[in-house]
Amino acid sequence: FPSHDKKIEDAFSKKLTTDAALFLAGGLLYLFAELVELSGNEVRREKKITITDKHLLQALKDDEELLAMSEL
């Protein structure tokens, strides 16, 4: 399998440029920051200190755009 995996790796590495990787990382950073901000708002509403999975899920459910993206 190693030789086959190397061929696949080479095929993808030629297609993915540094600019594309930076663009993807920036998009993921934005989505993560948005989710953490909305989760923090949920925590403040409940007068808690720590963000839990419950807060993350509630933030996803409350935001239409994030909910639409998570259902893909």
Side-chain angles (χ1 to χ4, degrees):
F1 295 134
S3 62
H4 178 68
D5 291 341
K6 181 66 175 160
K7 289 178 186 175
I8 291 173
E9 184 180 302
D10 289 342
F12 284 114
S13 65
K14 290 178 184 175
K15 293 180 182 178
L16 186 63
T17 65
T18 304
D19 292 340
L22 290 173
F23 184 78
L24 178 62
L28 291 173
L29 179 65
Y30 172 78
L31 288 174
F32 182 73
E34 188 72 22
L35 182 58
V36 169
E37 179 185 356
L38 294 171
S39 299
N41 294 342
E42 292 293 326
V43 169
R44 274 189 243 121
R45 277 191 217 126
E46 293 182 9
K47 298 180 181 173
K48 302 282 182 176
I49 298 172
T50 307
I51 295 175
T52 64
D53 56 342
K54 180 180 100 171
H55 300 117
L56 291 167
L57 290 172
Q58 190 60 44
L60 275 173
K61 290 177 184 176
D62 290 347
D63 190 87
E64 293 177 12
E65 293 173 348
L66 288 176
L67 182 62
M69 288 182 67
S70 67
E71 291 178 347
L72 293 174

